[in-house]
Amino acid sequence: MHRDIISSPCDDTGVPPPAPASEPTGLEGLRATWRAVLGALVFRGACYAAMIAAAVWNELRPAPSVPDAVLARIPYVPWVARTNYLLWLAVYLPLSVALLWRAPRLFARYTVTAGLVSLARGVTLLLTGLGPPDPATAGPGIAGHAPLDAFLELLSPWKVFAKDAMAAYLTKDLFFSGHTATTFLLALYLWRFRALRAPAAAGHLLVVASVFLAHLHYAIDVAGAYAVAFAIFALREGWPPRRGANV
């Protein structure tokens, strides 16, 4: 099972150059690229840990809430706020697995790019000092908890998705929106696959809508996520994106 080969332009003689070898997909592709995939996942995990460390440190300093012209016109929906991270997981996991199956090497490259976005988010968290956009609905925050304990719980997928550790500990991890950046970046990498464009775009828009309905981020956090994610994608892949780049 291989990806379709893209037709190449003809040279001066009118004869098309030899077609490039197609990238293996599925199990064959995973066997050929498992080292690159594993290395990319380890890199992304380390970047995520660095971002969480920055987010925990950010919780320890005071920060003001500021007015938001968009959130002021959007109602807060409690059930969306309670299920926000599960919705992100339901959108993100199937699409990322689809990318891994269709193009393992591209998945590895995407995963490295996602790690760089996490690092950029950690830096912007340290550079900004915003309080929760809706203090009345924000979680209790880190007060009364040891920062190291909170950090370790935030590294646990079980604590994050089953126990809602993000909402419990983090109220100031705002600029920029991770929900928006991760699903937008994934959509950019999936866009070359026509069959995956609609689900990637629909899933991304659903996640962004949930961010606003949960009053999870300021509007500027969402706008900033698009800017940073696209900039890092373009630096890695070019614009329009190059094909066949190595990890």
Side-chain angles (χ1 to χ4, degrees), residues 6-247:
I6 303 170
S7 59
S8 301
C10 298
D11 59 19
D12 293 339
T13 66
V15 179
S22 59
E23 288 281 351
T25 64
L27 289 177
E28 180 186 354
L30 288 172
R31 284 194 294 266
T33 61
W34 70 268
R35 289 181 180 84
V37 169
L38 180 60
L41 289 171
V42 170
F43 174 78
R44 185 176 183 182
C47 294
Y48 174 78
M51 182 194 73
I52 291 298
V56 169
W57 182 88
N58 196 42
E59 286 293 316
L60 300 176
R61 60 178 177 170
S65 297
V66 298
D68 189 293
V70 175
L71 288 185
R73 290 165 174 78
I74 296 178
Y76 172 77
V77 182
W79 71 265
V80 174
R82 290 193 301 269
T83 59
N84 186 269
Y85 282 92
L86 292 176
L87 172 62
W88 176 88
L89 184 66
V91 168
Y92 187 82
L93 190 59
L95 290 173
S96 59
V97 169
L99 178 58
L100 175 63
W101 184 259
R102 292 286 297 269
R105 190 171 297 279
L106 182 64
F107 173 85
R109 188 167 181 85
Y110 152 75
T111 302
V112 170
T113 307
L116 296 175
V117 171
S118 289
L119 287 179
R121 187 167 188 265
V123 171
T124 57
L125 288 175
L126 297 177
L127 292 175
T128 55
L130 293 172
D134 190 348
T137 60
I142 203 172
H145 299 275
L148 180 59
D149 291 343
F151 171 74
L152 294 175
E153 288 199 23
L154 290 167
L155 293 182
S156 165
W158 171 255
K159 293 289 186 179
V160 169
F161 295 110
K163 301 298 183 180
D164 208 11
M166 288 288 190
Y169 288 124
L170 300 182
T171 63
K172 303 171 187 173
D173 64 323
L174 296 170
F175 190 83
F176 49 88
S177 166
H179 284 65
T180 303
T182 51
T183 53
F184 176 57
L185 183 68
L186 183 56
L188 288 174
Y189 274 92
L190 288 170
W191 206 253
R192 67 187 65 195
F193 305 107
R194 290 185 180 276
L196 296 175
R197 288 180 180 179
H204 168 67
L205 293 175
L206 185 63
V207 167
V208 172
S210 76
V211 166
F212 283 116
L213 291 172
H215 287 198
L216 193 63
H217 282 281
Y218 294 100
I220 191 63
D221 301 331
V222 174
Y226 285 115
V228 176
F230 180 77
I232 294 177
F233 173 80
L235 287 171
R236 288 270 289 160
E237 309 299 340
W239 189 258
R242 300 182 300 271
R243 290 182 179 269
N246 295 322
V247 175

